[in-house]
Amino acid sequence: MDASRDTISDLLLDWYDRNARVLPWRAAPGTPAPEPYRVWLSEVMLQQTTVAAVKDYFARFTARWPQVTDLAAAADEEVMAAWAGLGYYARARNLLACARAVAARGGAFPDTEDELRALPGLGAYTAAAVAAIAFGRRAVVVDANVERVVSRLFALEEPLPGSRPAIRALADTITPDKRAGDFAQAMMDLGATVCTARAPRCLLCPLAGPCKARAQGEPERLPVKAAKKAKPTRQGRAFWIERDDHVWLVRRPDKGMLGGMRALPDDGWIARSDGSGEGPVAGPWESAGRVGHVFTHFALELSLQVHVGRLAGDPPGEGEWWPLDRIDEAGLPTLFAKAARLALAGAGAGAGAGAGAEAA
DNA sequence: AAAGCGTGGAA
DNA sequence: TTTCCAAGCTT
């Protein structure tokens, strides 16, 4: 083959045929596509989330709910608990809504980008990715990897996110009519393993020839990104109410932080910053220590207040007594899983209740 | 359309 | 330790 005639997609697809990562939700290059359900599920899990973090969740979901209709029939609480720890919990609510929408139309995903885009939780990226990977449609798939690769390939100096329209237009020009799914995955593999954010491995790159950033000598400088805001720290309190080897858990509202997830009662650290709120039942409360946790937009220092064995009835409001020996199955998001660990460690530590301890 | 929304791994 | 950041979506 005359190398001078190789297009960027040819170079990349040849590289992909030899270097594709082996992933549980992926078919080997050139083999039939996986079921749309598996492609969609993996794409949603992978939104802003690393491959390493997704693998176990993908295995558990597909073992427990082998078809989209199985997932559609599951109870909300079961799915939310299964998602616990993966983050961005709106994805889990949208996942269920999408599964039920697909089940309602007979259990088959639509096979066009526009129809996919209309489903809950599928934005421009995911709709294009599913259309290309599951259905072989030509679609322009742009995620953070593609943004980085294209920014370097064409040496775009305009900072993100302003450069997105230009990136999309350029990605369109290099997307092939055939093997669009492989092309999309090849771009993402390249971004994940070669054209990395820091210290790109240009010596291994199949696109080093045409890459303008490479020619200019500082590929790691691109893409330029807008400066990030400083992250404030908030204070808050969470309340561990224990009685007869059970702890009182609540369900958080669907909207907002950790929406729809089981949780410990707290003082509303989302809205307020003084962390001095009252507990849901009358005192006395004892301190079990502090839990530090970093969210996307702020860091939280949570003081854990405990109230053990002195309560006659139920605390006010909705909630449930959850058995301590099954606390791992409650599906607590990481912040509250840390708090539970602290409370249980404090109980086992005897006098002092672990006051002042810091959970990792 | 800018901001809100999790988590854990790497450097 | 701190910073960055990963297959984005919604409002």
Side-chain angles (χ1 to χ4, degrees):
Chain A
M1 181 183 294
D2 181 349
S4 67
R5 291 196 181 179
D6 281 347
T7 63
I8 286 170
S9 65
D10 289 334
L11 292 168
L12 188 65
L13 286 167
D14 287 347
W15 174 84
Y16 185 69
D17 287 338
R18 288 175 281 112
N19 297 283
R21 287 180 291 177
V22 176
L23 300 171
W25 45 84
R26 172 184 284 183
T31 65
E35 291 187 12
Y37 170 57
R38 297 170 67 87
V39 175
W40 161 75
L41 178 62
S42 67
E43 290 299 340
V44 173
M45 287 184 166
L46 286 160
Q47 289 166 4
Q48 296 286 285
T49 307
T50 58
V51 165
V54 165
K55 280 183 176 173
D56 288 347
Y57 285 86
F58 181 81
R60 284 197 292 270
F61 268 69
T62 51
R64 187 167 177 179
W65 300 295
Q67 306 291 334
V68 66
T69 46
D70 301 319
L71 182 59
D76 292 35
E77 292 177 358
E78 298 290 307
V79 175
M80 298 308 288
W83 197 275
L86 198 55
Y88 284 144
Y89 298 101
R91 290 185 296 171
R93 300 193 299 275
N94 287 330
L95 189 82
L96 253 181
C98 181
R100 288 168 181 165
V102 171
R105 63 195 298 286
F109 280 83
D111 65 356
T112 66
E113 187 175 353
D114 285 348
E115 290 174 290
L116 288 161
R117 178 69 180 81
L119 292 169
L122 280 85
Y125 163 76
T126 307
V130 174
I133 298 170
F135 297 111
R137 301 268 188 186
R138 184 186 184 282
V140 182
V141 181
V142 182
D143 75 325
N145 288 299
V146 175
E147 288 179 352
R148 185 170 58 254
V149 171
V150 168
S151 294
R152 289 175 178 167
L153 198 52
F154 298 96
L156 301 184
E157 292 291 339
E158 181 185 4
L160 285 168
S163 56
R164 292 224 165 99
I167 289 172
R168 200 211 127 85
L170 288 166
D172 196 351
T173 68
I174 62 173
T175 299
D177 291 330
K178 295 181 179 177
R179 299 189 67 187
D182 281 350
F183 178 79
Q185 295 179 91
M187 288 287 276
M188 294 189 277
D189 275 19
L190 189 75
T193 65
V194 174
C195 194
T196 50
R198 288 175 283 206
R201 299 165 173 84
C202 299
L203 292 177
L204 300 177
C205 184
L207 306 185
C211 182
K212 293 185 179 175
R214 166 71 167 156
Q216 294 176 1
E218 284 189 301
E220 67 282 356
R221 193 173 57 77
L222 299 177
V224 181
K225 293 189 178 182
K228 292 181 171 58
K229 291 182 182 175
K231 200 171 282 192
T233 298
R234 295 188 193 177
Q235 311 289 325
R237 289 181 164 190
F239 303 99
W240 181 270
I241 306 166
E242 185 179 320
R243 193 189 68 188
D244 299 333
D245 296 319
H246 287 66
V247 61
W248 185 252
L249 298 183
V250 300
R251 183 177 185 277
R252 298 179 63 82
D254 279 333
K255 303 254 180 198
M257 291 287 300
L258 311 178
M261 301 299 288
R262 283 202 187 94
L264 296 177
D266 63 57
D267 68 343
W269 45 267
I270 290 164
R272 53 193 301 163
S273 59
D274 59 9
S276 63
E278 297 296 319
V281 301
W285 294 92
E286 190 171 354
S287 176
R290 294 179 166 281
V291 173
H293 194 69
V294 180
F295 294 106
T296 306
H297 288 88
F298 61 93
L300 177 66
E301 287 182 8
L302 193 69
S303 167
L304 182 61
Q305 307 295 116
V306 301
H307 186 291
V308 177
R310 292 186 295 267
L311 193 64
D314 288 352
E318 293 285 308
E320 57 187 326
W321 290 107
W322 193 270
L324 294 182
D325 59 2
R326 289 180 45 225
I327 194 67
D328 289 346
E329 301 164 39
L332 295 175
T334 300
L335 167 68
F336 294 111
K338 286 182 186 177
R341 215 174 300 143
L342 181 60
L344 294 170
E358 174 76 22

